[in-house]
mmCIF file of all heavy atoms in Angstrom:
data_model
loop_
_atom_site.group_PDB
_atom_site.id
_atom_site.type_symbol
_atom_site.label_atom_id
_atom_site.label_comp_id
_atom_site.label_asym_id
_atom_site.label_seq_id
_atom_site.Cartn_x
_atom_site.Cartn_y
_atom_site.Cartn_z
ATOM 1 N N ALA P 39 -11.957 42.811 -76.149
ATOM 2 C CA ALA P 39 -11.712 44.019 -75.355
ATOM 3 C C ALA P 39 -11.685 43.696 -73.868
ATOM 4 O O ALA P 39 -10.834 44.208 -73.115
ATOM 5 C CB ALA P 39 -12.789 45.062 -75.653
ATOM 6 N N ALA P 58 -9.538 37.517 -99.052
ATOM 7 C CA ALA P 58 -8.607 37.642 -100.176
ATOM 8 C C ALA P 58 -8.137 36.285 -100.661
ATOM 9 O O ALA P 58 -8.047 36.039 -101.875
ATOM 10 C CB ALA P 58 -7.412 38.513 -99.770
ATOM 11 N N GLY P 135 -39.337 56.998 -91.277
ATOM 12 C CA GLY P 135 -38.811 55.822 -90.590
ATOM 13 C C GLY P 135 -37.389 56.034 -90.118
ATOM 14 O O GLY P 135 -37.016 55.638 -89.006
ATOM 15 N N SER P 136 -36.570 56.674 -90.964
ATOM 16 C CA SER P 136 -35.184 56.947 -90.572
ATOM 17 C C SER P 136 -35.120 57.918 -89.403
ATOM 18 O O SER P 136 -34.278 57.781 -88.513
ATOM 19 C CB SER P 136 -34.414 57.523 -91.770
ATOM 20 O OG SER P 136 -34.415 56.614 -92.849
ATOM 21 N N MET P 266 -31.132 42.137 -80.442
ATOM 22 C CA MET P 266 -31.742 41.353 -79.372
ATOM 23 C C MET P 266 -30.736 40.342 -78.817
ATOM 24 O O MET P 266 -30.670 40.113 -77.614
ATOM 25 C CB MET P 266 -32.994 40.653 -79.897
ATOM 26 C CG MET P 266 -34.060 41.611 -80.414
ATOM 27 S SD MET P 266 -35.456 40.774 -81.191
ATOM 28 C CE MET P 266 -36.172 39.955 -79.772
ATOM 29 N N ILE P 317 -29.680 52.503 -119.489
ATOM 30 C CA ILE P 317 -29.415 53.315 -118.309
ATOM 31 C C ILE P 317 -29.608 52.440 -117.089
ATOM 32 O O ILE P 317 -30.676 51.873 -116.875
ATOM 33 C CB ILE P 317 -30.363 54.525 -118.239
ATOM 34 C CG1 ILE P 317 -30.187 55.396 -119.470
ATOM 35 C CG2 ILE P 317 -30.120 55.309 -116.972
ATOM 36 C CD1 ILE P 317 -28.844 56.067 -119.570
#
Side-chain angles (χ1 to χ4, degrees):
S136 300
M266 300 174 67
I317 300 294

